[in-house]
Amino acid sequence: MRVNLARTLPRSAANGPGERFVVWTQGCPLACPGCWNPDTWAFERRNLQSVEDLADSILATEGIEGGTLTGGEPFAQAKALTELAKIVRTAGLSVFVF
Protein backbone atom coordinates (compact mmCIF):
# COMPACT_ATOMS: atom_id res chain seq x y z
CA MET A 1 0.00 0.00 0.00
CA ARG A 2 1.27 3.51 -0.83
CA VAL A 3 0.71 7.05 0.38
CA ASN A 4 0.67 10.08 -1.92
CA LEU A 5 2.87 12.60 -0.13
CA ALA A 6 3.23 16.33 -0.59
CA ARG A 7 6.32 16.36 1.64
CA THR A 8 7.80 15.18 4.93
CA LEU A 9 9.85 16.82 7.65
CA PRO A 10 11.85 14.49 9.91
CA ARG A 11 11.82 16.80 12.91
CA SER A 12 9.42 19.57 13.94
CA ALA A 13 8.42 21.07 17.28
CA ALA A 14 5.51 23.02 15.75
CA ASN A 15 3.20 20.17 14.72
CA GLY A 16 2.16 18.59 18.01
CA PRO A 17 3.79 17.88 21.35
CA GLY A 18 7.52 17.23 21.38
CA GLU A 19 9.72 16.63 18.38
CA ARG A 20 7.71 14.94 15.63
CA PHE A 21 8.12 13.50 12.15
CA VAL A 22 5.57 15.34 9.97
CA VAL A 23 3.86 13.84 6.93
CA TRP A 24 1.93 16.19 4.60
CA THR A 25 -0.42 14.21 2.39
CA GLN A 26 -1.37 15.27 -1.13
CA GLY A 27 -5.04 15.82 -1.91
CA CYS A 28 -7.83 17.62 -0.07
CA PRO A 29 -11.54 17.90 -0.94
CA LEU A 30 -12.21 20.52 1.78
CA ALA A 31 -10.33 23.61 0.49
CA CYS A 32 -10.82 25.43 3.80
CA PRO A 33 -10.61 29.23 3.73
CA GLY A 34 -7.29 30.35 5.21
CA CYS A 35 -5.60 26.97 4.68
CA TRP A 36 -1.83 27.13 5.17
CA ASN A 37 -1.17 24.38 2.61
CA PRO A 38 -3.25 25.06 -0.53
CA ASP A 39 -0.50 23.47 -2.63
CA THR A 40 -1.64 20.13 -1.16
CA TRP A 41 -5.27 20.38 -2.35
CA ALA A 42 -4.91 18.88 -5.85
CA PHE A 43 -5.46 15.13 -6.09
CA GLU A 44 -2.42 14.72 -8.29
CA ARG A 45 0.24 12.08 -8.05
CA ARG A 46 3.13 13.79 -6.31
CA ASN A 47 5.35 11.44 -4.35
CA LEU A 48 4.11 7.89 -3.87
CA GLN A 49 5.82 6.07 -1.04
CA SER A 50 5.05 2.68 0.44
CA VAL A 51 3.65 2.58 3.96
CA GLU A 52 6.57 0.38 4.98
CA ASP A 53 9.22 2.78 3.64
CA LEU A 54 7.53 5.75 5.26
CA ALA A 55 7.27 3.89 8.58
CA ASP A 56 10.96 2.97 8.34
CA SER A 57 11.84 6.65 7.88
CA ILE A 58 9.78 7.67 10.88
CA LEU A 59 11.14 4.93 13.12
CA ALA A 60 14.73 5.67 12.08
CA THR A 61 14.43 9.25 13.32
CA GLU A 62 15.96 9.23 16.79
CA GLY A 63 14.58 11.21 19.70
CA ILE A 64 11.12 11.95 18.36
CA GLU A 65 7.87 11.74 20.34
CA GLY A 66 5.88 10.53 17.35
CA GLY A 67 4.44 11.39 13.99
CA THR A 68 1.97 13.98 12.77
CA LEU A 69 -0.24 13.37 9.74
CA THR A 70 -1.49 16.53 8.07
CA GLY A 71 -2.27 17.68 4.62
CA GLY A 72 -3.90 17.95 2.37
CA GLU A 73 -6.55 15.85 4.05
CA PRO A 74 -5.06 12.75 5.71
CA PHE A 75 -8.47 11.07 5.94
CA ALA A 76 -8.64 11.03 2.13
CA GLN A 77 -5.98 8.31 2.41
CA ALA A 78 -7.37 6.72 5.57
CA LYS A 79 -6.63 3.09 4.74
CA ALA A 80 -2.91 3.58 4.08
CA LEU A 81 -2.47 6.02 6.97
CA THR A 82 -4.25 3.66 9.36
CA GLU A 83 -1.64 1.04 8.52
CA LEU A 84 1.12 3.60 9.03
CA ALA A 85 -0.32 4.68 12.39
CA LYS A 86 -0.51 1.06 13.58
CA ILE A 87 3.17 0.53 12.83
CA VAL A 88 4.19 3.78 14.51
CA ARG A 89 2.02 3.16 17.60
CA THR A 90 3.28 -0.43 17.93
CA ALA A 91 6.81 1.00 18.09
CA GLY A 92 5.74 3.14 21.06
CA LEU A 93 5.41 6.51 19.34
CA SER A 94 2.36 8.78 19.35
CA VAL A 95 0.35 9.76 16.27
CA PHE A 96 -1.50 13.04 15.74
CA VAL A 97 -3.75 13.88 12.80
CA PHE A 98 -4.51 17.46 11.75
Side-chain angles (χ1 to χ4, degrees):
M1 190 171 310
R2 296 190 292 179
V3 181
N4 190 16
L5 301 173
R7 60 190 160 274
T8 62
L9 181 64
R11 191 173 302 280
S12 171
N15 293 280
E19 296 283 325
R20 311 188 68 75
F21 190 106
V22 185
V23 174
W24 282 271
T25 59
Q26 183 65 40
C28 180
L30 304 175
C32 298
C35 176
W36 289 30
N37 303 311
D39 63 302
T40 65
W41 290 357
F43 282 94
E44 62 188 22
R45 184 176 176 170
R46 200 144 166 201
N47 177 12
L48 292 179
Q49 192 169 47
S50 74
V51 168
E52 295 79 11
D53 286 347
L54 185 53
D56 288 347
S57 294
I58 295 169
L59 299 180
T61 305
E62 294 184 20
I64 60 172
E65 160 95 12
T68 296
L69 309 175
T70 191
E73 173 50 60
F75 292 113
Q77 299 185 62
K79 188 172 182 178
L81 293 178
T82 296
E83 291 304 313
L84 177 65
K86 286 178 184 177
I87 295 167
V88 171
R89 289 290 299 141
T90 298
L93 299 176
S94 64
V95 176
F96 276 64
V97 181
F98 289 107

mmCIF file of all heavy atoms in Angstrom, residues 11-52:
data_model
loop_
_atom_site.group_PDB
_atom_site.id
_atom_site.type_symbol
_atom_site.label_atom_id
_atom_site.label_comp_id
_atom_site.label_asym_id
_atom_site.label_seq_id
_atom_site.Cartn_x
_atom_site.Cartn_y
_atom_site.Cartn_z
ATOM 1 N N ARG A 11 11.832 16.292 11.539
ATOM 2 C CA ARG A 11 11.820 16.798 12.914
ATOM 3 C C ARG A 11 11.164 18.174 12.938
ATOM 4 O O ARG A 11 11.595 19.086 12.246
ATOM 5 C CB ARG A 11 13.242 16.887 13.443
ATOM 6 C CG ARG A 11 13.343 17.153 14.918
ATOM 7 C CD ARG A 11 14.779 17.067 15.397
ATOM 8 N NE ARG A 11 15.394 15.785 15.124
ATOM 9 C CZ ARG A 11 15.224 14.672 15.838
ATOM 10 N NH1 ARG A 11 14.427 14.668 16.864
ATOM 11 N NH2 ARG A 11 15.845 13.559 15.521
ATOM 12 N N SER A 12 10.110 18.292 13.756
ATOM 13 C CA SER A 12 9.424 19.567 13.938
ATOM 14 C C SER A 12 8.908 19.650 15.368
ATOM 15 O O SER A 12 8.420 18.658 15.911
ATOM 16 C CB SER A 12 8.246 19.688 12.975
ATOM 17 O OG SER A 12 7.451 20.825 13.290
ATOM 18 N N ALA A 13 8.986 20.839 15.952
ATOM 19 C CA ALA A 13 8.417 21.072 17.277
ATOM 20 C C ALA A 13 7.137 21.898 17.179
ATOM 21 O O ALA A 13 6.563 22.269 18.191
ATOM 22 C CB ALA A 13 9.431 21.795 18.162
ATOM 23 N N ALA A 14 6.665 22.161 15.962
ATOM 24 C CA ALA A 14 5.506 23.025 15.749
ATOM 25 C C ALA A 14 4.250 22.266 15.316
ATOM 26 O O ALA A 14 3.238 22.892 15.040
ATOM 27 C CB ALA A 14 5.846 24.077 14.701
ATOM 28 N N ASN A 15 4.316 20.950 15.257
ATOM 29 C CA ASN A 15 3.200 20.166 14.722
ATOM 30 C C ASN A 15 2.711 19.114 15.705
ATOM 31 O O ASN A 15 2.424 17.977 15.319
ATOM 32 C CB ASN A 15 3.599 19.521 13.391
ATOM 33 C CG ASN A 15 3.817 20.555 12.312
ATOM 34 O OD1 ASN A 15 2.866 21.034 11.725
ATOM 35 N ND2 ASN A 15 5.065 20.944 12.086
ATOM 36 N N GLY A 16 2.592 19.501 16.968
ATOM 37 C CA GLY A 16 2.159 18.585 18.012
ATOM 38 C C GLY A 16 3.153 18.625 19.150
ATOM 39 O O GLY A 16 4.156 19.348 19.092
ATOM 40 N N PRO A 17 2.904 17.849 20.181
ATOM 41 C CA PRO A 17 3.791 17.877 21.350
ATOM 42 C C PRO A 17 5.135 17.204 21.069
ATOM 43 O O PRO A 17 5.195 16.166 20.430
ATOM 44 C CB PRO A 17 3.011 17.108 22.410
ATOM 45 C CG PRO A 17 2.089 16.229 21.646
ATOM 46 C CD PRO A 17 1.755 16.967 20.382
ATOM 47 N N GLY A 18 6.192 17.813 21.544
ATOM 48 C CA GLY A 18 7.522 17.234 21.384
ATOM 49 C C GLY A 18 8.023 17.337 19.960
ATOM 50 O O GLY A 18 7.416 17.951 19.091
ATOM 51 N N GLU A 19 9.155 16.710 19.725
ATOM 52 C CA GLU A 19 9.722 16.628 18.377
ATOM 53 C C GLU A 19 8.974 15.541 17.611
ATOM 54 O O GLU A 19 8.803 14.430 18.111
ATOM 55 C CB GLU A 19 11.209 16.288 18.450
ATOM 56 C CG GLU A 19 12.050 17.348 19.127
ATOM 57 C CD GLU A 19 12.318 18.538 18.229
ATOM 58 O OE1 GLU A 19 12.479 18.354 17.015
ATOM 59 O OE2 GLU A 19 12.368 19.663 18.762
ATOM 60 N N ARG A 20 8.539 15.856 16.380
ATOM 61 C CA ARG A 20 7.709 14.938 15.627
ATOM 62 C C ARG A 20 8.161 14.848 14.174
ATOM 63 O O ARG A 20 8.661 15.816 13.609
ATOM 64 C CB ARG A 20 6.253 15.397 15.662
ATOM 65 C CG ARG A 20 5.769 15.715 17.073
ATOM 66 C CD ARG A 20 4.301 15.983 17.122
ATOM 67 N NE ARG A 20 3.534 14.783 16.842
ATOM 68 C CZ ARG A 20 3.368 13.785 17.692
ATOM 69 N NH1 ARG A 20 3.923 13.820 18.884
ATOM 70 N NH2 ARG A 20 2.668 12.729 17.370
ATOM 71 N N PHE A 21 7.937 13.700 13.580
ATOM 72 C CA PHE A 21 8.118 13.501 12.146
ATOM 73 C C PHE A 21 6.790 13.888 11.497
ATOM 74 O O PHE A 21 5.743 13.357 11.848
ATOM 75 C CB PHE A 21 8.442 12.023 11.864
ATOM 76 C CG PHE A 21 8.884 11.759 10.457
ATOM 77 C CD1 PHE A 21 10.207 11.492 10.186
ATOM 78 C CD2 PHE A 21 7.989 11.751 9.413
ATOM 79 C CE1 PHE A 21 10.639 11.219 8.894
ATOM 80 C CE2 PHE A 21 8.402 11.498 8.111
ATOM 81 C CZ PHE A 21 9.731 11.232 7.865
ATOM 82 N N VAL A 22 6.809 14.840 10.556
ATOM 83 C CA VAL A 22 5.573 15.345 9.967
ATOM 84 C C VAL A 22 5.419 14.832 8.540
ATOM 85 O O VAL A 22 6.357 14.886 7.741
ATOM 86 C CB VAL A 22 5.529 16.883 9.975
ATOM 87 C CG1 VAL A 22 4.181 17.383 9.470
ATOM 88 C CG2 VAL A 22 5.809 17.421 11.375
ATOM 89 N N VAL A 23 4.215 14.343 8.251
ATOM 90 C CA VAL A 23 3.857 13.839 6.929
ATOM 91 C C VAL A 23 2.725 14.709 6.386
ATOM 92 O O VAL A 23 1.651 14.763 6.978
ATOM 93 C CB VAL A 23 3.381 12.370 7.010
ATOM 94 C CG1 VAL A 23 2.874 11.882 5.663
ATOM 95 C CG2 VAL A 23 4.491 11.478 7.546
ATOM 96 N N TRP A 24 2.982 15.436 5.279
ATOM 97 C CA TRP A 24 1.934 16.190 4.597
ATOM 98 C C TRP A 24 1.439 15.338 3.433
ATOM 99 O O TRP A 24 2.212 14.988 2.539
ATOM 100 C CB TRP A 24 2.473 17.511 4.050
ATOM 101 C CG TRP A 24 2.631 18.581 5.073
ATOM 102 C CD1 TRP A 24 1.685 19.495 5.454
ATOM 103 C CD2 TRP A 24 3.799 18.884 5.839
ATOM 104 N NE1 TRP A 24 2.195 20.335 6.412
ATOM 105 C CE2 TRP A 24 3.501 19.978 6.669
ATOM 106 C CE3 TRP A 24 5.074 18.318 5.918
ATOM 107 C CZ2 TRP A 24 4.422 20.523 7.548
ATOM 108 C CZ3 TRP A 24 5.992 18.858 6.801
ATOM 109 C CH2 TRP A 24 5.658 19.951 7.596
ATOM 110 N N THR A 25 0.170 15.003 3.459
ATOM 111 C CA THR A 25 -0.419 14.209 2.388
ATOM 112 C C THR A 25 -0.829 15.118 1.232
ATOM 113 O O THR A 25 -1.038 16.316 1.413
ATOM 114 C CB THR A 25 -1.649 13.433 2.891
ATOM 115 O OG1 THR A 25 -2.614 14.363 3.384
ATOM 116 C CG2 THR A 25 -1.260 12.440 3.970
ATOM 117 N N GLN A 26 -0.949 14.524 0.055
ATOM 118 C CA GLN A 26 -1.373 15.272 -1.133
ATOM 119 C C GLN A 26 -2.824 14.939 -1.425
ATOM 120 O O GLN A 26 -3.190 13.775 -1.507
ATOM 121 C CB GLN A 26 -0.485 14.899 -2.328
ATOM 122 C CG GLN A 26 -0.797 15.671 -3.588
ATOM 123 C CD GLN A 26 -0.525 17.156 -3.451
ATOM 124 O OE1 GLN A 26 0.461 17.564 -2.846
ATOM 125 N NE2 GLN A 26 -1.399 17.979 -3.997
ATOM 126 N N GLY A 27 -3.637 15.977 -1.563
ATOM 127 C CA GLY A 27 -5.044 15.822 -1.906
ATOM 128 C C GLY A 27 -5.951 16.239 -0.769
ATOM 129 O O GLY A 27 -5.805 15.765 0.355
ATOM 130 N N CYS A 28 -6.874 17.172 -1.077
ATOM 131 C CA CYS A 28 -7.833 17.621 -0.066
ATOM 132 C C CYS A 28 -9.118 18.078 -0.741
ATOM 133 O O CYS A 28 -9.100 18.993 -1.566
ATOM 134 C CB CYS A 28 -7.259 18.762 0.759
ATOM 135 S SG CYS A 28 -8.422 19.347 2.016
ATOM 136 N N PRO A 29 -10.260 17.475 -0.369
ATOM 137 C CA PRO A 29 -11.536 17.896 -0.942
ATOM 138 C C PRO A 29 -12.159 19.075 -0.191
ATOM 139 O O PRO A 29 -13.177 19.607 -0.628
ATOM 140 C CB PRO A 29 -12.406 16.645 -0.772
ATOM 141 C CG PRO A 29 -11.896 16.033 0.490
ATOM 142 C CD PRO A 29 -10.402 16.284 0.462
ATOM 143 N N LEU A 30 -11.580 19.517 0.913
ATOM 144 C CA LEU A 30 -12.208 20.519 1.777
ATOM 145 C C LEU A 30 -11.941 21.962 1.348
ATOM 146 O O LEU A 30 -12.828 22.804 1.446
ATOM 147 C CB LEU A 30 -11.754 20.315 3.228
ATOM 148 C CG LEU A 30 -12.002 18.913 3.792
ATOM 149 C CD1 LEU A 30 -11.407 18.784 5.179
ATOM 150 C CD2 LEU A 30 -13.483 18.591 3.800
ATOM 151 N N ALA A 31 -10.709 22.258 0.925
ATOM 152 C CA ALA A 31 -10.327 23.606 0.491
ATOM 153 C C ALA A 31 -10.776 24.668 1.490
ATOM 154 O O ALA A 31 -11.446 25.644 1.145
ATOM 155 C CB ALA A 31 -10.871 23.893 -0.906
ATOM 156 N N CYS A 32 -10.408 24.508 2.732
ATOM 157 C CA CYS A 32 -10.821 25.429 3.799
ATOM 158 C C CYS A 32 -10.278 26.835 3.574
ATOM 159 O O CYS A 32 -9.106 26.997 3.219
ATOM 160 C CB CYS A 32 -10.322 24.928 5.158
ATOM 161 S SG CYS A 32 -10.998 23.335 5.638
ATOM 162 N N PRO A 33 -11.107 27.859 3.810
ATOM 163 C CA PRO A 33 -10.605 29.229 3.730
ATOM 164 C C PRO A 33 -9.475 29.422 4.749
ATOM 165 O O PRO A 33 -9.555 28.952 5.878
ATOM 166 C CB PRO A 33 -11.824 30.076 4.123
ATOM 167 C CG PRO A 33 -13.010 29.193 3.893
ATOM 168 C CD PRO A 33 -12.524 27.794 4.138
ATOM 169 N N GLY A 34 -8.412 30.086 4.325
ATOM 170 C CA GLY A 34 -7.289 30.351 5.210
ATOM 171 C C GLY A 34 -6.316 29.192 5.365
ATOM 172 O O GLY A 34 -5.401 29.269 6.187
ATOM 173 N N CYS A 35 -6.491 28.127 4.603
ATOM 174 C CA CYS A 35 -5.595 26.972 4.677
ATOM 175 C C CYS A 35 -4.148 27.405 4.469
ATOM 176 O O CYS A 35 -3.842 28.215 3.600
ATOM 177 C CB CYS A 35 -5.983 25.944 3.614
ATOM 178 S SG CYS A 35 -4.870 24.533 3.528
ATOM 179 N N TRP A 36 -3.262 26.818 5.274
ATOM 180 C CA TRP A 36 -1.832 27.129 5.171
ATOM 181 C C TRP A 36 -1.147 26.318 4.078
ATOM 182 O O TRP A 36 -0.007 26.583 3.736
ATOM 183 C CB TRP A 36 -1.151 26.848 6.500
ATOM 184 C CG TRP A 36 -1.509 27.804 7.578
ATOM 185 C CD1 TRP A 36 -2.695 28.478 7.737
ATOM 186 C CD2 TRP A 36 -0.681 28.217 8.637
ATOM 187 N NE1 TRP A 36 -2.645 29.263 8.828
ATOM 188 C CE2 TRP A 36 -1.413 29.125 9.431
ATOM 189 C CE3 TRP A 36 0.604 27.891 9.029
ATOM 190 C CZ2 TRP A 36 -0.901 29.729 10.562
ATOM 191 C CZ3 TRP A 36 1.112 28.493 10.173
ATOM 192 C CH2 TRP A 36 0.372 29.403 10.917
ATOM 193 N N ASN A 37 -1.816 25.287 3.566
ATOM 194 C CA ASN A 37 -1.174 24.379 2.613
ATOM 195 C C ASN A 37 -2.005 24.181 1.337
ATOM 196 O O ASN A 37 -2.265 23.048 0.939
ATOM 197 C CB ASN A 37 -0.941 23.018 3.273
ATOM 198 C CG ASN A 37 -0.121 23.120 4.529
ATOM 199 O OD1 ASN A 37 0.921 23.739 4.546
ATOM 200 N ND2 ASN A 37 -0.599 22.506 5.596
ATOM 201 N N PRO A 38 -2.417 25.248 0.663
ATOM 202 C CA PRO A 38 -3.254 25.059 -0.527
ATOM 203 C C PRO A 38 -2.554 24.304 -1.657
ATOM 204 O O PRO A 38 -3.225 23.741 -2.528
ATOM 205 C CB PRO A 38 -3.625 26.493 -0.946
ATOM 206 C CG PRO A 38 -2.578 27.354 -0.335
ATOM 207 C CD PRO A 38 -2.165 26.658 0.942
ATOM 208 N N ASP A 39 -1.233 24.238 -1.617
ATOM 209 C CA ASP A 39 -0.503 23.470 -2.629
ATOM 210 C C ASP A 39 -0.755 21.971 -2.490
ATOM 211 O O ASP A 39 -0.430 21.199 -3.388
ATOM 212 C CB ASP A 39 0.998 23.755 -2.551
ATOM 213 C CG ASP A 39 1.612 23.331 -1.229
ATOM 214 O OD1 ASP A 39 1.153 23.826 -0.173
ATOM 215 O OD2 ASP A 39 2.547 22.509 -1.243
ATOM 216 N N THR A 40 -1.364 21.553 -1.384
ATOM 217 C CA THR A 40 -1.639 20.129 -1.160
ATOM 218 C C THR A 40 -3.062 19.741 -1.545
ATOM 219 O O THR A 40 -3.451 18.593 -1.379
ATOM 220 C CB THR A 40 -1.406 19.748 0.318
ATOM 221 O OG1 THR A 40 -2.356 20.439 1.136
ATOM 222 C CG2 THR A 40 0.004 20.069 0.756
ATOM 223 N N TRP A 41 -3.866 20.669 -2.049
ATOM 224 C CA TRP A 41 -5.269 20.381 -2.354
ATOM 225 C C TRP A 41 -5.456 19.451 -3.547
ATOM 226 O O TRP A 41 -6.339 18.597 -3.530
ATOM 227 C CB TRP A 41 -6.028 21.666 -2.628
ATOM 228 C CG TRP A 41 -6.239 22.545 -1.444
ATOM 229 C CD1 TRP A 41 -5.876 22.304 -0.140
ATOM 230 C CD2 TRP A 41 -6.845 23.831 -1.447
ATOM 231 N NE1 TRP A 41 -6.225 23.363 0.657
ATOM 232 C CE2 TRP A 41 -6.827 24.312 -0.115
ATOM 233 C CE3 TRP A 41 -7.405 24.623 -2.433
ATOM 234 C CZ2 TRP A 41 -7.353 25.550 0.240
ATOM 235 C CZ3 TRP A 41 -7.929 25.852 -2.079
ATOM 236 C CH2 TRP A 41 -7.907 26.312 -0.755
ATOM 237 N N ALA A 42 -4.695 19.632 -4.602
ATOM 238 C CA ALA A 42 -4.913 18.878 -5.846
ATOM 239 C C ALA A 42 -4.692 17.383 -5.618
ATOM 240 O O ALA A 42 -3.727 16.972 -4.983
ATOM 241 C CB ALA A 42 -3.970 19.380 -6.933
ATOM 242 N N PHE A 43 -5.612 16.593 -6.156
ATOM 243 C CA PHE A 43 -5.461 15.133 -6.088
ATOM 244 C C PHE A 43 -4.623 14.679 -7.274
ATOM 245 O O PHE A 43 -5.090 14.001 -8.179
ATOM 246 C CB PHE A 43 -6.835 14.447 -6.081
ATOM 247 C CG PHE A 43 -7.499 14.496 -4.751
ATOM 248 C CD1 PHE A 43 -8.398 15.514 -4.449
ATOM 249 C CD2 PHE A 43 -7.221 13.550 -3.780
ATOM 250 C CE1 PHE A 43 -9.016 15.570 -3.214
ATOM 251 C CE2 PHE A 43 -7.828 13.597 -2.528
ATOM 252 C CZ PHE A 43 -8.733 14.615 -2.251
ATOM 253 N N GLU A 44 -3.371 15.095 -7.259
ATOM 254 C CA GLU A 44 -2.425 14.718 -8.291
ATOM 255 C C GLU A 44 -1.385 13.792 -7.675
ATOM 256 O O GLU A 44 -1.114 13.856 -6.480
ATOM 257 C CB GLU A 44 -1.743 15.954 -8.867
ATOM 258 C CG GLU A 44 -0.940 16.724 -7.834
ATOM 259 C CD GLU A 44 -0.408 18.056 -8.349
ATOM 260 O OE1 GLU A 44 -0.966 18.590 -9.314
ATOM 261 O OE2 GLU A 44 0.570 18.544 -7.765
ATOM 262 N N ARG A 45 -0.841 12.955 -8.506
ATOM 263 C CA ARG A 45 0.237 12.076 -8.048
ATOM 264 C C ARG A 45 1.480 12.930 -7.848
ATOM 265 O O ARG A 45 1.947 13.588 -8.769
ATOM 266 C CB ARG A 45 0.480 10.995 -9.091
ATOM 267 C CG ARG A 45 1.488 9.991 -8.674
ATOM 268 C CD ARG A 45 1.590 8.929 -9.725
ATOM 269 N NE ARG A 45 2.634 7.994 -9.388
ATOM 270 C CZ ARG A 45 2.823 6.873 -10.029
ATOM 271 N NH1 ARG A 45 2.057 6.551 -11.041
ATOM 272 N NH2 ARG A 45 3.790 6.076 -9.670
ATOM 273 N N ARG A 46 1.978 12.931 -6.626
ATOM 274 C CA ARG A 46 3.126 13.785 -6.313
ATOM 275 C C ARG A 46 4.338 12.955 -5.920
ATOM 276 O O ARG A 46 5.345 12.981 -6.589
ATOM 277 C CB ARG A 46 2.746 14.761 -5.206
ATOM 278 C CG ARG A 46 3.633 15.952 -5.117
ATOM 279 C CD ARG A 46 2.865 17.192 -4.744
ATOM 280 N NE ARG A 46 3.777 18.237 -4.361
ATOM 281 C CZ ARG A 46 3.458 19.266 -3.627
ATOM 282 N NH1 ARG A 46 2.247 19.395 -3.165
ATOM 283 N NH2 ARG A 46 4.350 20.175 -3.345
ATOM 284 N N ASN A 47 4.244 12.249 -4.820
ATOM 285 C CA ASN A 47 5.353 11.436 -4.348
ATOM 286 C C ASN A 47 4.773 10.194 -3.675
ATOM 287 O O ASN A 47 4.431 10.239 -2.499
ATOM 288 C CB ASN A 47 6.219 12.238 -3.373
ATOM 289 C CG ASN A 47 7.363 11.429 -2.794
ATOM 290 O OD1 ASN A 47 7.674 10.330 -3.258
ATOM 291 N ND2 ASN A 47 7.983 11.945 -1.754
ATOM 292 N N LEU A 48 4.652 9.127 -4.432
ATOM 293 C CA LEU A 48 4.112 7.886 -3.871
ATOM 294 C C LEU A 48 5.201 7.166 -3.099
ATOM 295 O O LEU A 48 6.307 6.966 -3.599
ATOM 296 C CB LEU A 48 3.582 6.976 -4.974
ATOM 297 C CG LEU A 48 2.345 7.463 -5.714
ATOM 298 C CD1 LEU A 48 1.957 6.449 -6.788
ATOM 299 C CD2 LEU A 48 1.191 7.700 -4.764
ATOM 300 N N GLN A 49 4.866 6.794 -1.877
ATOM 301 C CA GLN A 49 5.815 6.065 -1.042
ATOM 302 C C GLN A 49 5.067 4.940 -0.342
ATOM 303 O O GLN A 49 3.924 5.121 0.098
ATOM 304 C CB GLN A 49 6.453 6.999 -0.024
ATOM 305 C CG GLN A 49 7.641 6.380 0.677
ATOM 306 C CD GLN A 49 8.408 7.413 1.472
ATOM 307 O OE1 GLN A 49 7.838 8.197 2.210
ATOM 308 N NE2 GLN A 49 9.725 7.405 1.327
ATOM 309 N N SER A 50 5.708 3.799 -0.231
ATOM 310 C CA SER A 50 5.054 2.685 0.444
ATOM 311 C C SER A 50 4.916 2.989 1.932
ATOM 312 O O SER A 50 5.725 3.707 2.521
ATOM 313 C CB SER A 50 5.842 1.384 0.250
ATOM 314 O OG SER A 50 7.014 1.393 1.039
ATOM 315 N N VAL A 51 3.869 2.435 2.525
ATOM 316 C CA VAL A 51 3.649 2.584 3.961
ATOM 317 C C VAL A 51 4.868 2.082 4.719
ATOM 318 O O VAL A 51 5.325 2.710 5.684
ATOM 319 C CB VAL A 51 2.366 1.839 4.395
ATOM 320 C CG1 VAL A 51 2.272 1.724 5.901
ATOM 321 C CG2 VAL A 51 1.145 2.525 3.817
ATOM 322 N N GLU A 52 5.428 0.969 4.301
ATOM 323 C CA GLU A 52 6.572 0.377 4.980
ATOM 324 C C GLU A 52 7.788 1.296 4.931
ATOM 325 O O GLU A 52 8.472 1.480 5.935
ATOM 326 C CB GLU A 52 6.911 -0.995 4.386
ATOM 327 C CG GLU A 52 5.845 -2.035 4.581
ATOM 328 C CD GLU A 52 4.666 -1.931 3.601
ATOM 329 O OE1 GLU A 52 4.747 -1.157 2.595
ATOM 330 O OE2 GLU A 52 3.653 -2.594 3.849
#
